[in-house]
Amino acid sequence: MRLVTLAMLAFLTAMPAVQAQSRATETTPQSRSIALDAAERLLLERNLVVVAAQRGLDAARAQRLVAASMPPPNLSIGNTTGEVNEYGQRLQATRFYWPTNNVAIGLSVVVEGGGRRSLRTRFAEEQISIAEAQVLDILRQQLFQLRQVFLQALLARANLDVAEANKASLDRTEALLRRQAQEGQIPEGDLLRFQASRPAMEADAAIAAQTYASAAAMLAALLAEDPAITLGSSATARPRLGNTGPVALAPSGRLQSNTELGLTRDQILAAAENRADVLVAKRNLSAASANRELAESQRTRDVTVGVVASRTRLPQDLQGTATANNQLGLSLSVPIFTSRIVEGNVGVATAQQGQAEAMARAALLGARADAATAWIVWEQARALRALYDGGALRRAEEAYAVAERAYLAGGRSFIEVLDALRTLNATRIAANQARHGALLALANLEQASGISGLMPRL
């Protein structure tokens, strides 16, 4: 019976690899499999945060049409519609007039000074450039969030493979131990200790399934899909640990990737200086400078020119036989006592320019700090991945094989073999985490430096 038991344990150790290979291409009938590159293309087209940023860019472009326009002229028209005569203490309304009997038409135009129209246009163009950079920055952030969610789903699925394989094998092993205990081949205490150790191992399946559910729902939301189709059994089905059920989008791919960077730390730091958020800060500074110049242009006052033409056929106290009186008027108006207002606006614009300059400097330093941190994380993640791929996982497998042989020779208890097996499974989980960490570090490095193409295709 020892050989049968060891055969079951060997089956347990082999199952995760088989399960992982099959799960990589298998999805439920209600799920749609999607690769990372396809998800990124959909993000460009359908992500609602990106779409909102693009609409902001459209608004900035429309605002330029307003800024580049001249101040609209004002057209006015008026007439006298009635006449009231006074006779001592008595008033008497004599008659009403048709509008054509008395009409006045006026036109007033604001003549701007200080080149304000061109300055307004320049400021609006700066706002467009800011909106363009903001779209790029939001896209950078959303791509990183997508990759985080995608990799989290792959990690959860890989861990679920290990947990489900463990659970299936533990079921078989428990049945075998129960039969051995009934036949008196092993103490009943071994069976009880084995049963007591099962919940912790089975809980891994539930945790992995919950993580996969969350990641799949977030992935659907990022791609403007309905995330209501989530992991889990239906309301009428009997719940079980590790149940995956249907998902709106099932991420495809594996965590197996040994991609190397091919760039130096100095290149990463230099690239961070042109990151999208740094570009936004620089363009905010340029826009603040344009706004200060626009405020300074207010020192030159606008002049309003008005022209009024009137014609009246009302009775006139004029000599002769004139039947109408035609008049033409010209007016000029200039605002006065504006110096305090103008200087206040200039002071505000100057202070805002100083703020923008400080924010641009802070954005640059922050980007370099992010890139430097991301580089350290990448080096550590790469070393950890190499540790597991290069020997840690193999040593755990060898340790289990040694325990297996010792048990077969009668030098180890079955519980010791299970301990070695749990260590092997924990090492497999840690290896999955290390591979996930290396891929996530690459995604983080791409997000921190602004260099595209660092993230491998899975």
Side-chain angles (χ1 to χ4, degrees):
M1 295 301 294
R2 284 180 182 270
L3 292 177
V4 176
T5 303
L6 289 175
M8 296 300 299
L9 291 174
F11 176 73
L12 189 154
T13 59
M15 278 298 292
V18 177
Q19 291 278 72
Q21 189 172 12
S22 62
R23 184 180 291 275
T25 57
E26 180 183 352
T27 58
T28 60
Q30 300 182 25
S31 301
R32 179 161 59 91
S33 178
I34 187 169
L36 180 58
D37 54 350
E40 290 176 354
R41 287 194 298 270
L42 280 179
L43 181 82
L44 297 177
E45 301 171 2
R46 300 169 54 181
N47 181 265
L48 298 179
V49 179
V50 175
V51 170
Q54 291 171 340
R55 296 293 80 81
L57 175 58
D58 294 340
R61 288 170 176 165
Q63 189 62 34
R64 185 191 181 282
L65 299 177
V66 179
S69 301
M70 296 177 59
N74 292 319
L75 178 66
S76 62
I77 184 170
N79 60 62
T80 301
T81 58
E83 180 179 299
V84 177
N85 296 327
E86 295 186 24
Y87 298 95
Q89 299 296 323
R90 184 166 53 88
L91 300 179
Q92 179 180 355
T94 57
R95 56 184 180 274
F96 292 93
Y97 302 103
W98 288 102
T100 56
N101 288 349
N102 183 56
V103 63
I105 299 176
L107 179 67
S108 62
V109 178
V110 177
V111 180
E112 290 185 304
R116 268 189 290 282
R117 180 183 174 188
S118 62
L119 290 174
R120 278 200 316 272
T121 303
R122 177 193 163 193
F123 180 69
E125 290 172 346
E126 294 288 352
Q127 294 298 319
I128 293 174
S129 68
I130 292 173
E132 291 172 343
Q134 286 174 336
V135 171
L136 295 177
D137 187 44
I138 289 174
L139 180 59
R140 176 183 68 92
Q141 297 175 20
Q142 291 297 303
L143 274 175
F144 179 60
Q145 186 175 356
L146 173 73
R147 290 163 178 171
Q148 281 183 306
V149 170
F150 200 96
L151 292 175
Q152 186 65 35
L154 293 186
L155 174 62
R157 193 175 63 190
N159 290 341
L160 188 60
D161 291 335
V162 176
E164 287 185 342
N166 288 346
K167 184 177 180 297
S169 297
L170 289 173
D171 289 339
R172 297 182 182 92
T173 302
E174 182 177 355
L176 178 61
L177 290 177
R178 183 178 293 108
R179 185 164 58 250
Q180 289 177 322
Q182 291 173 352
E183 295 174 356
Q185 298 179 12
I186 62 173
E188 187 177 358
D190 286 353
L191 175 61
L192 295 176
R193 283 194 295 270
F194 174 80
Q195 291 173 335
S197 66
R198 286 200 59 172
M201 298 184 69
E202 291 185 353
D204 294 339
I207 295 173
Q210 292 167 10
T211 304
Y212 189 50
S214 176
M218 290 185 65
L219 177 64
L222 285 171
L223 300 181
E225 295 270 353
D226 184 7
I229 304 177
T230 56
L231 295 178
S233 55
S234 64
T236 58
R238 182 180 178 182
R240 61 184 178 87
L241 293 177
N243 182 31
T244 53
V247 291
L249 292 174
S252 64
R254 301 178 65 184
L255 294 175
Q256 303 289 343
S257 177
N258 293 321
T259 303
E260 293 299 331
L261 191 58
L263 295 174
T264 65
R265 179 178 180 275
D266 291 338
Q267 289 174 319
I268 294 295
L269 293 176
E273 297 179 3
N274 296 316
R275 207 171 70 179
D277 59 332
V278 178
L279 189 60
V280 170
K282 290 179 179 178
R283 292 182 178 180
N284 274 326
L285 175 57
S286 181
S289 176
N291 185 53
R292 179 186 55 79
E293 293 181 10
L294 180 60
E296 290 175 345
S297 70
Q298 296 292 333
R299 292 185 176 124
T300 301
R301 291 178 172 84
D302 295 336
V303 177
T304 302
V305 180
V307 178
V308 179
S310 64
R311 175 181 174 82
T312 179
R313 298 180 64 186
L314 300 181
Q316 306 290 330
D317 294 332
L318 299 175
Q319 296 180 354
T321 58
T323 59
N325 181 29
N326 301 319
Q327 295 180 336
L328 179 65
L330 178 66
S331 65
L332 296 175
S333 62
V334 179
I336 59 176
F337 306 123
T338 62
S339 60
R340 290 174 62 87
I341 297 175
V342 171
E343 294 306 319
N345 290 333
V346 171
V348 170
T350 302
Q352 290 174 341
Q353 181 179 355
Q355 287 179 326
E357 185 175 1
M359 294 303 294
R361 179 63 177 167
L364 177 59
L365 295 177
R368 288 180 61 85
D370 290 344
T373 303
W375 177 266
I376 295 173
V377 172
W378 155 246
E379 287 189 323
Q380 294 176 344
R382 180 178 58 177
L384 186 61
R385 182 192 64 189
L387 177 64
Y388 281 97
D389 291 344
L393 185 58
R394 174 175 45 81
R395 286 190 292 272
E397 293 171 349
E398 292 174 352
Y400 170 73
V402 169
E404 180 184 54
R405 289 193 296 270
Y407 174 72
L408 185 61
R412 295 281 182 90
S413 68
F414 182 71
I415 300 302
E416 290 178 300
V417 178
L418 287 179
D419 288 339
L421 181 58
R422 280 193 291 267
T423 301
L424 175 58
N425 289 327
T427 305
R428 282 176 171 153
I429 296 295
N432 288 339
Q433 186 68 49
R435 293 163 185 155
H436 166 268
L439 291 172
L440 184 60
L442 280 174
N444 183 45
L445 196 60
E446 181 171 329
Q447 188 259 0
S449 65
I451 301 176
S452 61
L454 300 184
M455 182 68 184
R457 303 299 89 187
L458 304 178

